[in-house]
Amino acid sequence: MSNVYNWQLGREMAYPYEAAYPGRQFAFVFNINRCIGCQSCTMACKSTWTFSAGQEYMWWNNVETKPYGGYPRHWDAKLLDMLHATGGGPGAWARPSDASRAPYGEYKGKTIFEAAPEAPAEDGSQTALGYLPSDEEWNTPNLFEDNPAGAQATARGQYFRGGGELPAHDAWFFYLARICNHCSYPACLAACPRKAIYKRPEDGIVLIDQKECRGYRKCMEACPYKKTHYRPTTRVSEKCIACFPRIEGKDTDAAGRPYTTRCMAACIGQIRLQGFVGLNPDGTWVEERNNPIYYLVHVAKLALPLYPQFGTEPNGYYIPPRWVPRRYLRQMFGPGVDAAVERYMAPDRETLAVLQLFGKDNHICHRYEIKEGPKVFDKEIRGRRVQIYNDTVIGYDRDGREIIRCTVEEPLHVRSGKHANSI
Ligand code: SF4
Ligand code: SF4
C-alpha cells in the first residue's frame, strides 16, 4: 500500500498504487434540485452504448429514487453498513486544520481500502471493502420509483395533505442520477488482478481494456458505486467510457472540439455541467477561479462529492436537494451539506449566474465571465434577503470560443393570438 493525498478526506490514505494524476481530470456537477427523473439521460446512454445482446441489465447511466431506490438494489446502504462496522460514518469527520487542503474537514473513519483487511473471512481477501451484487439485485433498475419516505397513511381515495415546509419536508424523495465517477483513486482499477483497468493520462477517464479483462468481476466487487458491469455474452466487464470519442471532438457535430457526453447533452432538466479541472502534483485542484466546475466545488462550495468517505475521490459532484432531512444528506455528501443547502436557498450574484451555464451547449465550457445587469428582484424570503440581478453569463470552450451567452432572467416568449390554437 502507498500513501496518497485525498483532499476530499483532508488527509493521506492508503491506496494500492502510487499516486499518479492526469494532466486534466474529467469532472461533472449534477444539480439534484432540478432533476425530474425523466430518464432521458439513461436512454441516451443505453441507445448509444449498451443496446446489444448481453447488455440488457447494463445501465451505465441510471437515475434512482432515494432513499429506497438503488441500482443494484440497496448498493449504498449495504456498503455503508459494512463501512460503519469498521468505524466509518457520518460522525467521523473532524474540523479542518487547513481549510484550503481539507475543505470538508478531516475524515477520521476508514475508507474502503483501509477497511478491506477487516472484511469477513468468508469474503476472501479484498483490495477494497465490497461485495458482489446478486443477479436479482441488478434486475430492477428503477424499483421504488417515486416512493417517498415519511409519507403518512391516508384513507383510500383521499389525497395526502402533508408535505411540510422547508428546511426539510416530512414526506420526501429525490432523484439521484449516476454515472461512473472516473475516480482519482478508482477501486475498480485497484482490485483488478489483470491490471486491465487504467486511467487515461490526458483526461483521467477510467477504462477497461477489453482484451486484457478475463471477467473475474473483482472490479464489480470493489467499486463502491457499483459502476462496472459483467457481460455474459463476451465474458468480460464493461463500464461507462465517458463518451470519450465525443470528449475528443470526434462526434460528427463537434467539429473537432470537446463535446459533452450523451447523458449530459440529453438532459431535459438541464441539471448537468461537465468540464475538466487541472491538478497539482499532490492531486489537489489548480486554482482556476473562472472554471465553472472549480467555482461550484471550491469557491461557492455548492457541489459536493457522493459518499466521499468511501475514499475513491469521485469526480462527480452534486448540489444537494434542499428539501431532504440534513442527517440523510450529511451521510451521502459529507459535512459540507448544511452550508451548501443554505447557499443554494439564497444564492449570491455570481452563483446565480454560473447556475445558468448548465445544459446550454454541447461543447464543453472551460471558462466563464459575467457582464453585470440591472437588479430585478429584492425581497426577504424565509428570513433571508434575496437579490437577483439580470446579469449575462458568457461561456467559452477550450479554444476560447464563445459557446454560451445567456441572462439570469430567461427571455419570455408570448405566442401571438393569431397562433393561439396552432402548433
Ligand atoms: S465509480 Fe467505480 S467504476 Fe467508476 S472509476 Fe470509480 S471505482 Fe471505478
Ligand atoms: S435527463 Fe436530466 S432531468 Fe432527466 S432524469 Fe436524467 S439527469 Fe434527471
Side-chain angles (χ1 to χ4, degrees):
M1 285 276 186
S2 303
N3 267 348
V4 296
Y5 190 71
N6 183 326
W7 67 262
Q8 293 177 354
L9 304 183
R11 67 168 172 84
E12 290 197 334
M13 66 162 203
Y15 186 68
Y17 291 105
E18 296 283 328
Y21 305 107
R24 286 181 82 66
Q25 173 64 52
F26 168 92
F28 58 87
V29 173
F30 290 176
N31 182 355
I32 294 177
N33 297 273
R34 286 183 180 171
C35 181
I36 54 174
C38 64
Q39 305 282 4
S40 303
C41 49
T42 308
M43 296 317 295
C45 177
K46 180 127 223 67
S47 59
T48 308
W49 299 115
T50 62
F51 56 81
S52 300
Q55 296 179 309
E56 292 82 359
Y57 291 101
M58 203 184 276
W59 302 89
W60 292 353
N61 181 107
N62 78 291
V63 183
E64 55 204 41
T65 301
K66 287 301 184 198
Y68 302 122
Y71 168 72
R73 209 177 304 167
H74 308 315
W75 62 275
D76 49 351
K78 287 181 83 162
L79 188 59
L80 284 167
D81 276 349
M82 294 168 76
L83 202 56
H84 289 189
T86 69
W93 291 85
R95 290 202 177 281
S97 47
D98 175 357
S100 65
R101 278 176 61 80
Y104 313 129
E106 189 180 329
Y107 176 64
K108 297 289 189 187
K110 287 186 175 151
T111 67
I112 57 169
F113 304 109
E114 294 159 343
E118 293 173 35
E122 64 267 22
D123 289 353
S125 124
Q126 294 190 340
T127 311
L129 188 71
Y131 71 97
L132 201 57
S134 66
D135 288 351
E136 290 72 33
E137 288 170 333
W138 289 110
N139 68 9
T140 46
N142 206 11
L143 194 68
F144 299 111
E145 183 182 26
D146 293 359
N147 272 31
Q152 297 154 15
T154 54
R156 195 177 171 82
Q158 185 191 328
Y159 291 112
F160 172 61
R161 295 180 203 286
E165 293 265 317
L166 289 172
H169 289 181
D170 298 335
W172 58 274
F173 69 82
F174 65 94
Y175 300 117
L176 186 69
R178 301 199 300 118
I179 62 172
C180 164
N181 294 294
H182 298 278
C183 306
S184 295
Y185 305 112
C188 57
L189 180 156
C192 177
R194 298 269 311 165
K195 295 192 171 58
I197 303 185
Y198 62 103
K199 202 165 162 60
R200 298 208 314 180
E202 63 270 40
D203 51 23
I205 290 172
V206 175
L207 298 174
I208 301 176
D209 184 332
Q210 299 287 287
K211 290 197 294 298
E212 290 299 319
C213 177
R214 291 290 180 273
Y216 299 151
R217 285 178 267 189
K218 294 304 278 183
C219 54
M220 275 173 79
E221 181 184 67
C223 170
Y225 304 97
K226 298 297 171 230
K227 279 295 173 190
T228 67
H229 310 261
Y230 178 68
R231 183 169 177 179
T233 50
T234 57
R235 298 190 177 178
V236 293
S237 298
E238 297 180 5
K239 67 178 286 301
C240 160
I241 60 169
C243 293
F244 70 79
R246 287 170 65 94
I247 302 267
E248 292 168 0
K250 293 192 180 123
D251 188 277
T252 41
D253 294 331
R257 291 144 66 200
Y259 227 34
T260 57
T261 64
R262 288 279 287 130
C263 58
M264 311 275 172
C267 176
I268 303 277
Q270 298 188 331
I271 83 151
R272 296 173 175 229
L273 188 73
Q274 180 193 328
F276 298 98
V277 292
L279 299 179
N280 292 313
D282 65 352
T284 56
W285 289 12
V286 174
E287 185 178 344
E288 296 171 303
R289 180 66 179 67
N290 286 67
N291 174 337
I293 303 283
Y294 182 91
Y295 174 81
L296 289 166
V297 173
H298 279 299
V299 182
K301 295 189 169 57
L302 210 58
L304 302 166
L306 179 65
Y307 293 121
Q309 65 268 42
F310 291 165
T312 62
E313 208 183 276
N315 287 299
Y317 293 83
Y318 291 82
I319 302 178
R322 63 195 184 286
W323 59 89
V324 172
R326 300 289 170 84
R327 212 166 139 248
Y328 185 87
L329 294 178
R330 273 180 223 123
Q331 175 173 259
M332 185 170 265
F333 300 110
V337 149
D338 297 84
V341 171
E342 292 303 315
R343 276 191 284 267
Y344 188 75
M345 292 212 283
D348 63 28
R349 187 168 180 172
E350 184 168 0
T351 301
L352 207 51
V354 172
L355 288 172
Q356 311 310 314
L357 294 168
F358 285 63
K360 288 292 189 301
D361 196 87
N362 286 348
H363 290 99
I364 295 173
C365 181
H366 286 241
R367 185 174 65 82
Y368 69 89
E369 63 184 37
I370 295 171
K371 292 214 183 315
E372 294 193 346
K375 190 196 280 185
V376 291
F377 186 87
D378 193 342
K379 246 188 190 169
E380 194 167 296
I381 300 177
R382 290 186 208 92
R384 294 181 193 84
R385 186 160 175 216
V386 179
Q387 295 179 308
I388 299 178
Y389 293 83
N390 194 22
D391 295 335
T392 300
V393 60
I394 305 151
Y396 300 93
D397 74 359
R398 181 195 60 190
D399 305 327
R401 275 184 261 209
E402 182 180 317
I403 50 170
I404 301 168
R405 178 176 287 260
C406 60
T407 52
V408 167
E409 271 199 313
E410 290 196 3
L412 185 68
H413 300 284
V414 181
R415 186 184 294 185
S416 88
K418 197 168 82 176
H419 301 296
N421 285 323
S422 67
I423 48 169

